Amino acid sequence: RPPRSTLFPYTTLFRLNDVAGFDVLSHHFHMHSYGDHEELSFHIVMPPETPLKDVNKVMCAIRKKVREDLDVEPTIQVDADN
């Protein structure tokens, strides 16, 4: 696999607003490499009144987009915006 730009996660994450249907605030990015396996962990912020079923729907869509665009396994933590 060719080396990645240090900015590569951000190009996909800017497009996550379209996937989520709202402005996705994100932070705390970490890339992890385990041999040929790569993971990207990060946090997103959602309004605290968001129903759990909607949180899950957004998380699944974001996870799918990251896998497709970046070919890494995402781990996403949701923080409440309070």
Side-chain angles (χ1 to χ4, degrees):
R1 179 181 293 188
R4 297 181 191 263
S5 161
T6 57
L7 296 177
F8 85 91
Y10 303 103
T11 59
T12 291
L13 294 172
F14 286 135
R15 294 189 299 259
L16 293 183
N17 294 345
D18 295 334
V19 173
F22 61 91
D23 287 341
V24 176
L25 302 175
S26 52
H27 62 98
H28 208 125
F29 293 91
H30 292 280
M31 279 297 301
H32 309 274
S33 295
Y34 308 103
D36 290 338
H37 179 79
E38 292 184 311
E39 297 182 9
L40 173 65
S41 62
F42 60 99
H43 297 208
I44 63 170
V45 180
M46 295 187 71
E49 66 275 2
T50 307
L52 187 55
K53 66 179 180 164
D54 293 340
V55 170
N56 188 59
K57 182 179 175 182
V58 168
M59 292 289 297
C60 288
I62 290 174
R63 192 174 295 119
K64 180 180 178 193
K65 184 70 170 164
V66 170
R67 283 180 183 142
E68 290 173 355
D69 284 11
L70 303 178
D71 192 30
V72 298
E73 185 61 31
T75 302
I76 306 166
Q77 176 175 319
V78 178
D79 299 330
D81 180 23
N82 32 345

